[in-house]
Amino acid sequence: MATRHVIVGGGTAGVNAIRAIRAYDRGAAEVLLVSAERPYSRMVLPYYLGRSIAESHVFTATPGHLAQLQVQAHLGRRAASLDTAANRLTLEDGTRIEYDDLLIATGSSAVKAPVPGADLPGVHSFWTLPQARGVVAAIREGSHVVMVGAGFIAFTILNAIRALRARLTVVEIAPQILPRMIDAAGAELVEAWLTRHGVEIRAGATLVAIEEAEGRRRLKFREGSDLLADVVIMATGIRTNLEWLNGSGVGVNRGILVDDHLRSSVGNVYAAGDVAEGRDLVTGRPAVHAIEPTAMGHGRVAGANMAGQELAYRGSLLMNIVDVCHLDIASFGAWDDPAAETWAATRPERWAYRKLLWKGDRLIGAMILGRANDIWTTNDVGMLKGLVQSGNGLGAWKERLRRNPFDIKPAFIASGTTARLLPETILGHPSSPPGPTF
């Protein structure tokens, strides 16, 4: 009988795993997909919110595409339990699916702040397509939108809300905005930029309740005055979807612990994406990186190994890149390591900020802010990422960068980073376009 691969989760990790399997086995094995939703890209939901794309452009694998890939799709169905001793997956409707190997790629869910009124009408999360539909239907020109949370998720939809000509207030419990992405100096610059563009920021604000107020929502805070909102968006974090694995024997810490082949503690069960806790490229320690590039890399490597390859994953690079009102903000690697040797510089006339973090002569983390139309920023984002990703020793160039953190290009070229990164591909060979390859 043909080998049966079961993929649980139709997001980026799951879809990339399917494509990798088919690239190697050319249709020889059975592939079953179990997904609560039709496969779509969460990364494009902000563009859907801003009305720059139609909902049809959100989806990544249509029924026809899945049929071409010879995938037996169980869409709109959820996994309920996993019996790893019997190699059996049970769905919520009682359906049992046997497997030879299985990939867990069930992603994450949004978490609302635990305050009274968080479940009132008009209080939304923005993580899934159904949640995005709710926000799209709610916002009108002139609406006052209050975003609770000033992290990466919130900032990915900030431009879209402004494009709808809504008034926007962002509140954050931490003393600064983007607390898990940039430092206080960078946050101060971003806050000034947003204020200049009409976005109100209230940091250090503890939300204690949300109440109905004549068709609007009243947000009450421990510090400061109340806010009246037409629409409230909770961007207060995510949690991995792992509850259904209780009793399965799959080892879980913050996520599912995986080796460099993306195998869990159970040899024929793999994990990828937000649910997987694998090697951090910079620190070498296990980490959960709930970001799109990691999900894509995990999925492709897991799929290749399920198809019989012996492919090791080097590790994932923590990175966040976002554009807010045409100001680019990016951080890479161990950007907040307190033990690192750190240099920073600001060019306020160009709205530019750099921070470089070192271990010896190796750049282990970086932060960069600058206007999106400034070629200085555009070029250096990629070069800083490359220097952190490659792990090259920079020797005497370290001292030059200490004197001028804004002069990245000579060090990037002289270090041979391009020559090292160009041959690297996740699967060890050039990428092929998505779609059937057999």
Side-chain angles (χ1 to χ4, degrees), residues 99-129:
Y99 62 84
D100 291 298
D101 55 26
L102 177 139
L103 173 66
I104 301 168
T106 45
S108 300
S109 299
V111 177
K112 290 185 176 181
V115 298
D119 294 321
L120 285 173
V123 181
H124 304 266
S125 293
F126 192 94
W127 190 245
T128 66
L129 177 56

mmCIF file of all heavy atoms in Angstrom, residues 99-129:
data_model
loop_
_atom_site.group_PDB
_atom_site.id
_atom_site.type_symbol
_atom_site.label_atom_id
_atom_site.label_comp_id
_atom_site.label_asym_id
_atom_site.label_seq_id
_atom_site.Cartn_x
_atom_site.Cartn_y
_atom_site.Cartn_z
ATOM 1 N N TYR A 99 -2.491 6.809 9.719
ATOM 2 C CA TYR A 99 -1.386 7.460 9.013
ATOM 3 C C TYR A 99 -0.103 6.658 9.168
ATOM 4 O O TYR A 99 0.053 5.872 10.102
ATOM 5 C CB TYR A 99 -1.182 8.892 9.549
ATOM 6 C CG TYR A 99 -0.811 8.969 11.021
ATOM 7 C CD1 TYR A 99 0.516 8.828 11.444
ATOM 8 C CD2 TYR A 99 -1.782 9.190 11.990
ATOM 9 C CE1 TYR A 99 0.860 8.897 12.789
ATOM 10 C CE2 TYR A 99 -1.457 9.262 13.333
ATOM 11 C CZ TYR A 99 -0.130 9.122 13.734
ATOM 12 O OH TYR A 99 0.204 9.178 15.065
ATOM 13 N N ASP A 100 0.796 6.885 8.208
ATOM 14 C CA ASP A 100 2.169 6.382 8.348
ATOM 15 C C ASP A 100 3.044 7.434 9.011
ATOM 16 O O ASP A 100 3.893 7.114 9.846
ATOM 17 C CB ASP A 100 2.734 6.002 6.977
ATOM 18 C CG ASP A 100 2.032 4.782 6.408
ATOM 19 O OD1 ASP A 100 2.114 3.712 7.043
ATOM 20 O OD2 ASP A 100 1.387 4.903 5.353
ATOM 21 N N ASP A 101 2.862 8.673 8.614
ATOM 22 C CA ASP A 101 3.467 9.783 9.355
ATOM 23 C C ASP A 101 2.510 10.967 9.297
ATOM 24 O O ASP A 101 1.564 10.997 8.491
ATOM 25 C CB ASP A 101 4.866 10.144 8.844
ATOM 26 C CG ASP A 101 4.919 10.460 7.371
ATOM 27 O OD1 ASP A 101 3.897 10.884 6.816
ATOM 28 O OD2 ASP A 101 5.994 10.288 6.765
ATOM 29 N N LEU A 102 2.740 11.906 10.200
ATOM 30 C CA LEU A 102 1.774 12.992 10.376
ATOM 31 C C LEU A 102 2.517 14.278 10.707
ATOM 32 O O LEU A 102 3.505 14.268 11.460
ATOM 33 C CB LEU A 102 0.796 12.627 11.493
ATOM 34 C CG LEU A 102 -0.252 13.667 11.889
ATOM 35 C CD1 LEU A 102 -1.612 12.985 12.130
ATOM 36 C CD2 LEU A 102 0.157 14.426 13.159
ATOM 37 N N LEU A 103 2.059 15.378 10.137
ATOM 38 C CA LEU A 103 2.608 16.701 10.429
ATOM 39 C C LEU A 103 1.581 17.519 11.197
ATOM 40 O O LEU A 103 0.439 17.667 10.750
ATOM 41 C CB LEU A 103 2.973 17.436 9.136
ATOM 42 C CG LEU A 103 3.402 18.908 9.311
ATOM 43 C CD1 LEU A 103 4.714 19.006 10.069
ATOM 44 C CD2 LEU A 103 3.494 19.604 7.962
ATOM 45 N N ILE A 104 1.999 18.064 12.335
ATOM 46 C CA ILE A 104 1.150 18.974 13.115
ATOM 47 C C ILE A 104 1.537 20.403 12.733
ATOM 48 O O ILE A 104 2.664 20.843 12.966
ATOM 49 C CB ILE A 104 1.337 18.761 14.622
ATOM 50 C CG1 ILE A 104 1.000 17.318 14.996
ATOM 51 C CG2 ILE A 104 0.467 19.739 15.415
ATOM 52 C CD1 ILE A 104 1.441 16.945 16.407
ATOM 53 N N ALA A 105 0.593 21.102 12.113
ATOM 54 C CA ALA A 105 0.826 22.488 11.689
ATOM 55 C C ALA A 105 -0.432 23.297 11.959
ATOM 56 O O ALA A 105 -0.974 23.969 11.073
ATOM 57 C CB ALA A 105 1.203 22.530 10.215
ATOM 58 N N THR A 106 -0.900 23.213 13.212
ATOM 59 C CA THR A 106 -2.204 23.792 13.570
ATOM 60 C C THR A 106 -2.139 25.253 13.977
ATOM 61 O O THR A 106 -3.162 25.844 14.327
ATOM 62 C CB THR A 106 -2.852 22.962 14.694
ATOM 63 O OG1 THR A 106 -1.877 22.667 15.705
ATOM 64 C CG2 THR A 106 -3.400 21.663 14.162
ATOM 65 N N GLY A 107 -0.947 25.855 13.934
ATOM 66 C CA GLY A 107 -0.850 27.299 14.087
ATOM 67 C C GLY A 107 -1.221 27.832 15.446
ATOM 68 O O GLY A 107 -1.107 27.149 16.473
ATOM 69 N N SER A 108 -1.695 29.072 15.450
ATOM 70 C CA SER A 108 -1.998 29.801 16.683
ATOM 71 C C SER A 108 -3.375 30.428 16.607
ATOM 72 O O SER A 108 -3.967 30.538 15.532
ATOM 73 C CB SER A 108 -0.961 30.909 16.917
ATOM 74 O OG SER A 108 0.340 30.390 17.031
ATOM 75 N N SER A 109 -3.854 30.859 17.752
ATOM 76 C CA SER A 109 -5.119 31.582 17.852
ATOM 77 C C SER A 109 -4.891 32.884 18.608
ATOM 78 O O SER A 109 -4.008 32.975 19.467
ATOM 79 C CB SER A 109 -6.174 30.751 18.592
ATOM 80 O OG SER A 109 -6.436 29.552 17.914
ATOM 81 N N ALA A 110 -5.697 33.872 18.279
ATOM 82 C CA ALA A 110 -5.604 35.157 18.969
ATOM 83 C C ALA A 110 -6.124 35.032 20.396
ATOM 84 O O ALA A 110 -7.040 34.253 20.675
ATOM 85 C CB ALA A 110 -6.408 36.212 18.219
ATOM 86 N N VAL A 111 -5.533 35.800 21.283
ATOM 87 C CA VAL A 111 -5.946 35.825 22.690
ATOM 88 C C VAL A 111 -6.369 37.248 23.042
ATOM 89 O O VAL A 111 -5.596 38.196 22.859
ATOM 90 C CB VAL A 111 -4.792 35.383 23.622
ATOM 91 C CG1 VAL A 111 -5.214 35.482 25.081
ATOM 92 C CG2 VAL A 111 -4.351 33.967 23.277
ATOM 93 N N LYS A 112 -7.583 37.399 23.526
ATOM 94 C CA LYS A 112 -8.053 38.712 23.961
ATOM 95 C C LYS A 112 -7.611 38.995 25.391
ATOM 96 O O LYS A 112 -7.413 38.074 26.179
ATOM 97 C CB LYS A 112 -9.580 38.798 23.874
ATOM 98 C CG LYS A 112 -10.128 38.838 22.458
ATOM 99 C CD LYS A 112 -11.638 39.040 22.469
ATOM 100 C CE LYS A 112 -12.184 39.170 21.061
ATOM 101 N NZ LYS A 112 -13.654 39.394 21.061
ATOM 102 N N ALA A 113 -7.458 40.262 25.705
ATOM 103 C CA ALA A 113 -7.119 40.644 27.075
ATOM 104 C C ALA A 113 -8.206 40.149 28.021
ATOM 105 O O ALA A 113 -9.404 40.279 27.723
ATOM 106 C CB ALA A 113 -6.977 42.156 27.180
ATOM 107 N N PRO A 114 -7.843 39.579 29.171
ATOM 108 C CA PRO A 114 -8.831 39.014 30.096
ATOM 109 C C PRO A 114 -9.513 40.097 30.937
ATOM 110 O O PRO A 114 -9.289 40.212 32.144
ATOM 111 C CB PRO A 114 -7.986 38.072 30.959
ATOM 112 C CG PRO A 114 -6.631 38.716 30.991
ATOM 113 C CD PRO A 114 -6.450 39.374 29.649
ATOM 114 N N VAL A 115 -10.342 40.898 30.285
ATOM 115 C CA VAL A 115 -11.031 41.977 30.998
ATOM 116 C C VAL A 115 -12.536 41.849 30.765
ATOM 117 O O VAL A 115 -12.963 41.319 29.727
ATOM 118 C CB VAL A 115 -10.544 43.363 30.527
ATOM 119 C CG1 VAL A 115 -9.055 43.542 30.809
ATOM 120 C CG2 VAL A 115 -10.838 43.590 29.047
ATOM 121 N N PRO A 116 -13.355 42.317 31.693
ATOM 122 C CA PRO A 116 -14.804 42.313 31.474
ATOM 123 C C PRO A 116 -15.158 43.085 30.210
ATOM 124 O O PRO A 116 -14.614 44.164 29.966
ATOM 125 C CB PRO A 116 -15.355 43.019 32.728
ATOM 126 C CG PRO A 116 -14.292 42.848 33.770
ATOM 127 C CD PRO A 116 -12.996 42.863 33.031
ATOM 128 N N GLY A 117 -16.026 42.522 29.393
ATOM 129 C CA GLY A 117 -16.467 43.190 28.178
ATOM 130 C C GLY A 117 -15.665 42.839 26.948
ATOM 131 O O GLY A 117 -15.975 43.306 25.846
ATOM 132 N N ALA A 118 -14.645 41.990 27.080
ATOM 133 C CA ALA A 118 -13.808 41.653 25.923
ATOM 134 C C ALA A 118 -14.589 40.901 24.855
ATOM 135 O O ALA A 118 -14.174 40.879 23.687
ATOM 136 C CB ALA A 118 -12.606 40.832 26.369
ATOM 137 N N ASP A 119 -15.717 40.297 25.220
ATOM 138 C CA ASP A 119 -16.512 39.529 24.253
ATOM 139 C C ASP A 119 -17.753 40.279 23.779
ATOM 140 O O ASP A 119 -18.623 39.690 23.119
ATOM 141 C CB ASP A 119 -16.928 38.189 24.871
ATOM 142 C CG ASP A 119 -15.738 37.283 25.130
ATOM 143 O OD1 ASP A 119 -14.823 37.268 24.288
ATOM 144 O OD2 ASP A 119 -15.716 36.617 26.172
ATOM 145 N N LEU A 120 -17.825 41.575 24.059
ATOM 146 C CA LEU A 120 -18.964 42.360 23.600
ATOM 147 C C LEU A 120 -18.963 42.491 22.078
ATOM 148 O O LEU A 120 -17.900 42.427 21.439
ATOM 149 C CB LEU A 120 -18.910 43.767 24.215
ATOM 150 C CG LEU A 120 -19.286 43.921 25.689
ATOM 151 C CD1 LEU A 120 -18.994 45.341 26.152
ATOM 152 C CD2 LEU A 120 -20.761 43.591 25.896
ATOM 153 N N PRO A 121 -20.141 42.696 21.470
ATOM 154 C CA PRO A 121 -20.166 43.034 20.041
ATOM 155 C C PRO A 121 -19.338 44.291 19.788
ATOM 156 O O PRO A 121 -19.334 45.221 20.607
ATOM 157 C CB PRO A 121 -21.659 43.290 19.768
ATOM 158 C CG PRO A 121 -22.384 42.550 20.847
ATOM 159 C CD PRO A 121 -21.494 42.624 22.056
ATOM 160 N N GLY A 122 -18.650 44.303 18.670
ATOM 161 C CA GLY A 122 -17.808 45.455 18.362
ATOM 162 C C GLY A 122 -16.400 45.345 18.890
ATOM 163 O O GLY A 122 -15.576 46.230 18.653
ATOM 164 N N VAL A 123 -16.102 44.240 19.599
ATOM 165 C CA VAL A 123 -14.735 43.982 20.073
ATOM 166 C C VAL A 123 -14.208 42.793 19.281
ATOM 167 O O VAL A 123 -14.735 41.689 19.373
ATOM 168 C CB VAL A 123 -14.701 43.691 21.587
ATOM 169 C CG1 VAL A 123 -13.270 43.443 22.041
ATOM 170 C CG2 VAL A 123 -15.314 44.850 22.364
ATOM 171 N N HIS A 124 -13.184 43.023 18.488
ATOM 172 C CA HIS A 124 -12.727 42.038 17.516
ATOM 173 C C HIS A 124 -11.284 41.612 17.777
ATOM 174 O O HIS A 124 -10.486 42.370 18.334
ATOM 175 C CB HIS A 124 -12.784 42.627 16.093
ATOM 176 C CG HIS A 124 -14.113 43.143 15.693
ATOM 177 N ND1 HIS A 124 -15.034 42.387 15.003
ATOM 178 C CD2 HIS A 124 -14.693 44.364 15.886
ATOM 179 C CE1 HIS A 124 -16.118 43.100 14.777
ATOM 180 N NE2 HIS A 124 -15.937 44.310 15.295
ATOM 181 N N SER A 125 -10.963 40.423 17.319
ATOM 182 C CA SER A 125 -9.575 40.024 17.111
ATOM 183 C C SER A 125 -9.312 40.101 15.614
ATOM 184 O O SER A 125 -10.240 40.190 14.804
ATOM 185 C CB SER A 125 -9.322 38.603 17.612
ATOM 186 O OG SER A 125 -9.444 38.540 19.021
ATOM 187 N N PHE A 126 -8.032 40.068 15.237
ATOM 188 C CA PHE A 126 -7.680 40.084 13.822
ATOM 189 C C PHE A 126 -6.549 39.091 13.614
ATOM 190 O O PHE A 126 -5.372 39.424 13.672
ATOM 191 C CB PHE A 126 -7.242 41.488 13.385
ATOM 192 C CG PHE A 126 -7.135 41.642 11.891
ATOM 193 C CD1 PHE A 126 -8.197 42.129 11.153
ATOM 194 C CD2 PHE A 126 -5.974 41.286 11.221
ATOM 195 C CE1 PHE A 126 -8.104 42.259 9.771
ATOM 196 C CE2 PHE A 126 -5.869 41.415 9.844
ATOM 197 C CZ PHE A 126 -6.934 41.909 9.111
ATOM 198 N N TRP A 127 -6.960 37.821 13.398
ATOM 199 C CA TRP A 127 -5.966 36.767 13.212
ATOM 200 C C TRP A 127 -6.404 35.790 12.125
ATOM 201 O O TRP A 127 -5.609 35.390 11.296
ATOM 202 C CB TRP A 127 -5.741 36.046 14.544
ATOM 203 C CG TRP A 127 -4.577 35.101 14.541
ATOM 204 C CD1 TRP A 127 -4.614 33.739 14.678
ATOM 205 C CD2 TRP A 127 -3.192 35.432 14.409
ATOM 206 N NE1 TRP A 127 -3.346 33.205 14.631
ATOM 207 C CE2 TRP A 127 -2.449 34.228 14.470
ATOM 208 C CE3 TRP A 127 -2.505 36.635 14.232
ATOM 209 C CZ2 TRP A 127 -1.065 34.181 14.361
ATOM 210 C CZ3 TRP A 127 -1.122 36.594 14.124
ATOM 211 C CH2 TRP A 127 -0.412 35.376 14.196
ATOM 212 N N THR A 128 -7.687 35.442 12.115
ATOM 213 C CA THR A 128 -8.215 34.514 11.120
ATOM 214 C C THR A 128 -9.024 35.281 10.075
ATOM 215 O O THR A 128 -9.391 36.447 10.266
ATOM 216 C CB THR A 128 -9.124 33.473 11.778
ATOM 217 O OG1 THR A 128 -10.288 34.132 12.295
ATOM 218 C CG2 THR A 128 -8.400 32.753 12.918
ATOM 219 N N LEU A 129 -9.321 34.608 8.976
ATOM 220 C CA LEU A 129 -10.139 35.240 7.938
ATOM 221 C C LEU A 129 -11.531 35.610 8.446
ATOM 222 O O LEU A 129 -12.003 36.724 8.178
ATOM 223 C CB LEU A 129 -10.217 34.323 6.714
ATOM 224 C CG LEU A 129 -11.087 34.805 5.555
ATOM 225 C CD1 LEU A 129 -10.659 36.176 5.063
ATOM 226 C CD2 LEU A 129 -11.055 33.792 4.405
#
